[in-house]
Amino acid sequence: MTTHAQLLDKYAELTVKSGLNLRKGQQVLMTAPLEAVDLVRAITHHAYKVGASLVTCLYNDEQTALMRYTDGHTEAFDAAPGWLFTGMAEAFRDGNCARLAIIGENPALLSGQDIDKVSRANRARSTAYKPVVELITTFATNWCIISAATPSHAKSVFPDLPPDKAMEALWAAIFKCTRADLPDPVAAWAAHNKALHHRVKLLNDKRYAALAYKGPGTDFTLGLVDDHVWAGGASMAKNGIMCNPNIPSEEVFSMPHRERVDGVVRSTKPLSYQGTFIEGIEVTFEKGRIIKGTASKGAEVFKKMIETDDGAARLGEVALVPHSSPISASGIVFNETLFDENAASHIAVGQAYSQNMANTANMSAEEKLAKGMNTSLVHVDWMIGSGELNVDGVFKDGKREPLMRSGEWVD
Ligand code: ZN
Ligand code: ZN
């Protein structure tokens, strides 16, 4: 029998070798919940074993985060640690420091707090963090996001289990969905990357002009930008290191045209957005913009989110995930985008990824915008896939072919 400590060690090794693909001499900057200290130590061990020059971890604590809302002054909610983010940007710019984010926060931490304070704090943080996001999304360095089970997150996923059982169940699900429970997780990810890269090549060769979706409550056409690039699995960073930015990852994704989305869309899974749950999203797109939107739960937060800026009401990502993905097969709603987005096909409002458009390196912001690339302070994924979703690939001349039927790839 494999013990928890052994599984944690394999997960840590997978993170360092397949996630970051850390190179000798690189530094690592980690962020992690306090409760993930055992995982942080296991990762640190493996990072130094492959030759890390220095491992730094910044811990987050939920109690401390909440005190801003319970004890902080109302005027102070526009503050953000810009100095810290400037330093982080400096660390990543030349590719000598790898970035690892360990997430696992309580998805409902801020749900009881004043919405105005939450959105002001989020906006201030997003604005100050933007230089870091730009370096990460353009792969200035190798980076990876993974998850750790924490008691509050485990409780939100398994509310009926006692705390220790909930933690056990969440860790088991994490190990399974990330393939860390397989005999050789690093080899399993090499094979998985090969399959994803094959799918990416098929889609890139098609040169679809649009995708047409039909499912319960969903009937819309999503135009792709002309020079769109499908991506998925491991990506090459500018420092020449091939990394897996998300573990797990089952999606292939591309860039919607910010002005070519029309029709109605209904979400199929709950979405946790910065401390609040949003469920039952129903929106109408016209010329790329959400002109009407509701949600059965968290409607006010959803409304505030899409009003962040002009790009927050337009799409920045389209992703296809078969309904049979291991995350979907687990039947668990993780209340965490890293996992849930890999359970189902999804779209994201907000910022698009440069890697999803060809030759963006020397393009100005205006040129990118003119080509249909969306820009925003936010990037929020929501799930629209299910076993009932059909997707067609639409060619430039209007001809179409089935791409997914009942949530699965046709070929
Ligand atoms: Zn995605
Ligand atoms: Zn996304």
Side-chain angles (χ1 to χ4, degrees):
M1 213 196 106
T2 324
T3 65
H4 178 74
Q6 285 167 329
L7 282 165
L8 206 66
D9 186 72
K10 285 174 80 177
Y11 185 41
E13 185 178 11
L14 172 72
T15 301
V16 169
K17 291 186 177 168
S18 304
L20 294 178
N21 192 8
L22 194 70
R23 289 299 153 83
K24 195 167 188 286
Q26 275 198 302
Q27 293 198 18
V28 182
L29 176 60
M30 256 188 278
T31 47
L34 261 188
E35 295 84 354
V37 64
D38 289 344
L39 177 61
V40 170
R41 286 174 184 158
I43 288 169
T44 305
H45 165 72
H46 281 284
Y48 281 125
K49 261 176 70 173
V50 300
S53 58
L54 182 68
V55 181
T56 305
C57 184
L58 306 175
Y59 288 98
N60 307 310
D61 168 41
E62 289 176 354
Q63 297 305 318
T64 324
L66 262 184
M67 283 172 194
R68 185 174 187 192
Y69 293 87
T70 54
D71 306 333
H73 290 281
T74 306
E75 318 84 74
F77 280 83
D78 302 304
W83 49 270
L84 174 64
F85 300 150
T86 303
M88 285 172 83
E90 195 178 317
F92 303 145
R93 194 165 289 121
D94 61 6
N96 289 327
C97 181
R99 164 83 172 115
L100 178 63
I102 303 176
I103 58 173
E105 290 79 13
N106 175 5
L109 183 70
L110 301 177
S111 59
Q113 305 304 322
D114 180 72
I115 289 176
D116 186 56
K117 285 183 183 171
V118 175
S119 78
R120 276 169 61 205
N122 286 340
R123 173 187 287 273
R125 192 184 186 284
S126 304
T127 306
Y129 199 60
K130 211 169 180 195
V132 182
V133 169
E134 267 165 18
L135 288 164
I136 292 298
T137 56
T138 56
F139 284 85
T141 194
N142 43 330
W143 58 277
C144 179
I145 306 177
I146 61 163
S147 173
T150 62
S152 57
H153 184 209
K155 187 171 183 267
S156 88
V157 181
F158 302 104
D160 301 330
L161 293 180
D164 54 330
K165 294 285 170 209
M167 278 291 280
E168 254 174 55
L170 185 54
W171 269 125
I174 290 173
F175 293 144
K176 185 154 201 67
C177 293
T178 57
R179 298 172 167 81
D181 64 343
L182 295 180
D184 187 346
V186 175
W189 270 83
H192 180 48
N193 276 321
K194 212 174 149 190
L196 286 171
H197 289 160
H198 174 70
R199 177 65 58 189
V200 161
K201 184 175 180 336
L202 286 179
L203 286 167
N204 277 328
D205 288 347
K206 290 284 186 186
R207 305 315 312 159
Y208 290 131
L211 303 177
Y213 293 72
K214 258 205 170 83
T218 292
D219 186 354
F220 82 117
T221 308
L222 179 153
L224 296 161
V225 294
D226 292 338
D227 299 325
H228 68 263
V229 175
W230 286 90
S235 288
M236 183 63 84
K238 284 181 185 154
N239 59 5
I241 300 175
M242 196 78 158
C243 61
N244 269 288
N246 288 3
I247 289 187
S249 181
E250 305 290 332
E251 62 171 353
V252 291
F253 59 101
S254 194
M255 193 188 291
H257 193 292
R258 67 192 299 279
E259 292 172 353
R260 296 183 193 156
V261 185
D262 290 279
V264 293
V265 186
R266 182 189 291 170
S267 68
T268 51
K269 283 176 188 288
L271 140 75
S272 151
Y273 176 66
Q274 300 186 319
T276 315
F277 285 115
I278 305 173
E279 271 182 67
I281 302 169
E282 288 188 307
V283 298
T284 305
F285 284 96
E286 207 179 273
K287 292 194 171 74
R289 200 163 197 290
I290 295 176
I291 53 155
K292 218 168 69 187
T294 59
S296 58
K297 203 172 158 190
E300 212 183 319
V301 178
F302 179 70
K303 198 167 165 278
K304 271 223 152 47
M305 187 262 287
I306 60 173
E307 283 171 358
T308 306
D309 48 32
D310 179 57
R314 299 176 183 274
L315 296 186
E317 181 196 341
V318 53
L320 298 172
V321 180
H323 185 60
S324 58
S325 93
I327 291 120
S328 176
S330 76
I332 298 168
V333 177
F334 286 86
N335 302 331
E336 187 175 273
T337 303
L338 177 62
F339 280 74
D340 292 331
E341 77 160 343
N342 286 299
S345 291
H346 56 270
I347 47 178
V349 287
Q351 183 63 42
Y353 295 118
S354 299
Q355 67 174 140
N356 289 130
M357 189 190 268
N359 308 318
T360 48
N362 299 314
M363 255 182 232
S364 67
E366 292 72 31
E367 284 173 292
K368 289 182 197 172
L369 198 70
K371 281 177 159 283
M373 176 173 172
N374 199 33
T375 171
S376 171
L377 283 177
V378 298
H379 175 100
V380 183
D381 299 272
W382 22 292
M383 279 34 88
I384 61 170
S386 71
E388 294 171 278
L389 183 71
N390 293 334
V391 184
D392 282 354
V394 185
F395 294 99
K396 230 185 182 114
D397 62 6
K399 281 205 191 91
R400 47 164 79 196
E401 64 183 14
L403 192 57
M404 289 183 128
R405 285 293 175 267
S406 303
E408 300 299 330
W409 295 114
V410 167
D411 60 37

